[in-house]
Amino acid sequence: MLIVPVENRPDWKNPPVATLLLILINVLVFFVYQGKDPQRVEQAYRWYVESGLVEREQQPFRQYLSRNEPELQEALDAAGGEGKQQRRDLQFQHAAYDKEFAQALHQELDSDPEWREDRSRFEQLANSVSTRAYAFNAGEARWDTWITNMFLHGGFGHLLGNMVFLFLFGFALEIAIGRGVFLLLYLCSGLGGTLLFWMSELGTDHSAVGASGAISGLMGMYIALYGLRKINFFYNVIFFTGQVRAPALIVFPIWVGYELIGASNGNDGIGHWAHTGGLLFGFVLLALWMRLGLKYNRDFVEKIDHDAPFKSAVARIQELVVKMKLDEARRAAVQLVKAHPHDSRAWRALHGVVKISPASREYHETVHALFKQAGKAARDPALQELIEEVAHEYTGTGGEKPALTESVSLLLAQRLGRVEHIKPLAVLADRLLERQCRHELMPRILQAVANLSAKAQLTAQAQRYREQLKERFPDSEEARQLAAHTVA
């Protein structure tokens, strides 16, 4: 059975950093640390054989099998020499991971100091395997393994499944409740899952590994966050697959019931009690926190788009343009710019309307009004990009238009210099030089275009403007600064 929400999509403008960090840690632990487990097992096996432990423990192992698994002992005896390697491998497995057999060995062989020393080294090697070193063992319950077991996995399939669910639930919760609270409740849910596993396995030697408890906690948090709000779920039950829209809370008892049924059906190798504990802890913790006044991103949860009126206005302008109601579209765009004078999207909408008629007075007025925003462009990359686009277009197509007079060219050159748009600035500078412009602003414009050309590694172009500055305005402060710099 599979029931997962498909309500939200990741917003990569605000990436789920904490969720991605948790995924990265789990993946690195699995491939970098756990990936060395085969070498650790091989090293322990080699020591078990080369130290002679395999021969010294052979007879105790035969006796142990005869007591506990007589049928297996008889099968190995019947195999004769062909079963020698099978017996050795089986003996190694029991010697490394069977606590009852290890206790029997210590009772029988502890009087031999050489055996104790070799056995101690072997146990160190065997216990260095990740699932022995950092898994949570119900019989030992070491304090550090309450946390470390959450970052181990039993195989690639286990890791992949957990990471998919971590991303599905994590990115939405991180945006909704904030990274700090998200990480705190993630870890608390994992601890809750481990606690319920421990309580269910008291007196056993069973171990738990994996992020499943913590991820089940995210599922519980998700339900607590959305409560009775209707959200979309994808489901797969036996042969039935599809989507359904239902109150989020309705799936909580289904998830819990599924885990309880799994737990009652015996040992299937899945930590159903850890999943149940995580679900309950995640749900209760976030529900209590919200009850106590935890602030959350209500706009995200309830899908409130404060930008919707703006988007609707832009869509309306585009619709009017398609219908060729250009005057009405321009008036609507002008109103949008008045309402949002510093929003590049509003300016883009207005420019898109007036540029249809590049010979019109409205087109030139709009372009000039946009260039007046050059001082704000340094703080708004989108506005800076729009000004650069329009500047390229205007200097390329506006040359024959009366609006691009000497005074207008000087004004635009100053504004383009402030936002470092070298290409259209160079076009305007060349136009002013061709017209033999002697305005007092020319030295500053030539100095700016020379410096920006040098910054853009256009060495020849920079040198050309410097020469024009020295030749045409030798008495200007900018020419003297250039001369002093050259001498220095």
Side-chain angles (χ1 to χ4, degrees):
M1 182 184 73
L2 179 66
I3 304 177
V4 294
V6 288
E7 184 69 6
N8 307 107
R9 293 181 179 180
D11 179 8
W12 296 111
K13 294 179 181 178
N14 180 25
V17 175
T19 301
L20 295 174
L21 179 62
L22 286 172
I23 292 173
L24 178 63
I25 292 172
N26 278 277
V27 169
L28 287 176
V29 168
F30 182 78
F31 286 104
V32 177
Y33 172 64
Q34 289 190 264
K36 296 179 180 177
D37 277 351
Q39 294 94 308
R40 296 185 182 102
V41 173
E42 177 61 29
Q43 190 176 7
Y45 187 90
R46 193 182 310 117
W47 174 261
Y48 191 64
V49 173
E50 293 176 356
S51 66
L53 284 174
V54 65
E55 284 84 10
R56 279 177 281 178
E57 297 178 2
Q58 186 173 5
Q59 188 58 34
F61 181 61
R62 290 179 61 87
Q63 296 169 356
Y64 178 79
L65 276 188
S66 297
R67 290 194 305 271
N68 294 280
E69 300 181 66
E71 294 180 359
L72 178 58
Q73 175 64 56
E74 291 176 4
L76 290 173
D77 287 341
E82 295 178 0
K84 183 177 180 180
Q85 186 60 47
Q86 183 181 356
R87 177 186 290 277
R88 175 174 288 190
D89 293 343
L90 183 63
Q91 182 180 326
F92 167 75
Q93 292 295 325
H94 279 273
Y97 306 119
D98 186 338
K99 283 191 173 182
E100 184 180 344
F101 178 53
Q103 290 171 357
L105 284 173
H106 280 283
Q107 289 175 357
E108 183 174 342
L109 301 174
D110 248 4
S111 59
D112 183 349
E114 183 180 351
W115 176 85
R116 283 203 312 272
E117 182 178 348
D118 291 340
R119 180 71 194 184
S120 176
R121 172 59 179 161
F122 170 69
E123 289 175 354
Q124 288 179 1
L125 293 171
N127 290 337
S128 69
V129 175
S130 62
T131 51
R132 295 284 294 176
Y134 295 112
F136 179 84
N137 185 276
E140 296 177 357
R142 289 189 356 245
W143 69 270
D144 57 322
T145 59
W146 286 79
I147 295 291
T148 57
N149 85 90
M150 286 189 260
F151 298 94
L152 300 175
H153 288 86
F156 179 73
H158 188 202
L159 172 75
L160 180 62
N162 275 346
M163 293 307 98
V164 169
F165 277 89
L166 172 54
F167 184 77
L168 285 174
F169 289 96
F171 82 84
L173 284 165
E174 183 177 341
I175 294 172
I177 64 178
R179 293 190 180 110
V181 176
F182 167 74
L183 283 172
L184 176 63
L185 296 189
Y186 175 88
L187 294 174
C188 288
S189 298
L191 291 173
T194 303
L195 175 63
L196 198 58
F197 169 81
W198 182 44
M199 293 171 63
S200 69
E201 299 291 343
L202 282 175
T204 72
D205 192 40
H206 295 164
S207 295
V209 295
S212 302
I215 291 165
S216 295
L218 297 184
M219 296 162 70
M221 282 184 254
Y222 199 92
I223 299 307
L225 179 67
Y226 281 92
L228 292 173
R229 295 182 183 90
K230 288 187 176 182
I231 61 176
N232 293 313
F233 287 95
F234 169 82
Y235 66 87
N236 176 248
V237 181
I238 310 177
F239 302 112
F240 300 98
T241 299
Q243 285 193 28
V244 63
R245 188 166 181 82
L249 196 58
I250 201 171
V251 302
F252 185 69
I254 297 175
W255 280 343
V256 173
Y258 174 76
E259 296 299 345
L260 292 177
I261 291 172
S264 66
N265 282 340
N267 184 17
D268 57 2
I270 299 174
H272 291 288
W273 284 113
H275 296 182
T276 305
L279 270 168
L280 294 174
F281 266 74
F283 179 83
V284 171
L285 286 173
L286 186 56
L288 284 175
W289 202 312
M290 292 174 67
R291 182 84 178 204
L292 294 173
L294 169 70
K295 293 182 179 179
Y296 65 96
N297 190 338
R298 188 178 297 273
D299 290 350
F300 175 80
V301 174
E302 298 181 3
K303 293 191 172 181
I304 299 172
D305 186 0
H306 294 285
D307 211 23
F310 184 95
K311 294 175 182 175
S312 177
V314 172
R316 174 61 178 161
I317 292 167
Q318 293 171 344
E319 182 182 342
L320 290 170
V321 170
V322 170
K323 294 179 179 179
M324 294 306 292
K325 297 181 179 180
L326 299 183
D327 287 341
E328 191 176 344
R330 182 182 58 80
R331 288 194 295 270
V334 168
Q335 290 302 315
L336 187 63
V337 167
K338 287 181 179 179
H340 305 275
H342 307 309
D343 194 318
S344 63
R345 297 172 300 170
W347 282 102
R348 189 177 288 278
L350 177 56
H351 178 255
V353 175
V354 298
K355 74 176 183 180
I356 296 173
S357 303
S360 67
R361 177 174 57 84
E362 290 81 5
Y363 171 69
H364 296 286
E365 287 177 348
T366 298
V367 171
H368 296 166
L370 174 60
F371 284 141
K372 288 181 181 179
Q373 304 296 315
K376 304 179 181 68
R379 300 188 298 273
D380 185 351
L383 185 58
Q384 182 173 352
E385 181 182 354
L386 176 60
I387 290 175
E388 185 168 6
E389 289 177 16
V390 175
H392 279 292
E393 173 192 292
Y394 196 65
T395 54
T397 63
E400 302 304 321
K401 307 293 187 296
L404 201 56
T405 62
E406 181 176 298
S407 60
V408 171
S409 297
L410 285 165
L411 181 65
L412 295 184
Q414 289 183 84
R415 290 172 181 161
L416 292 172
R418 289 175 198 159
V419 291
E420 300 188 359
H421 293 329
I422 179 60
K423 290 183 179 179
L425 175 58
V427 171
L428 287 172
D430 289 339
R431 187 181 302 278
L432 290 166
L433 288 171
E434 288 172 8
R435 295 181 178 183
Q436 300 294 318
C437 178
R438 303 294 300 176
H439 195 278
E440 62 182 7
L441 292 175
M442 277 299 293
R444 190 182 307 170
I445 292 171
L446 290 172
Q447 183 186 53
V449 73
N451 291 340
L452 290 177
S453 296
K455 186 176 180 180
Q457 298 183 340
L458 301 171
T459 308
Q461 180 172 294
Q463 184 60 31
R464 179 166 62 83
Y465 289 119
R466 288 176 184 139
E467 290 173 357
Q468 290 292 329
L469 174 60
K470 290 188 291 185
E471 178 183 333
R472 299 195 184 204
F473 305 95
D475 297 329
S476 66
E477 178 62 27
E478 290 77 12
R480 285 194 291 270
Q481 290 175 5
L482 178 60
H485 179 75
T486 304
V487 171

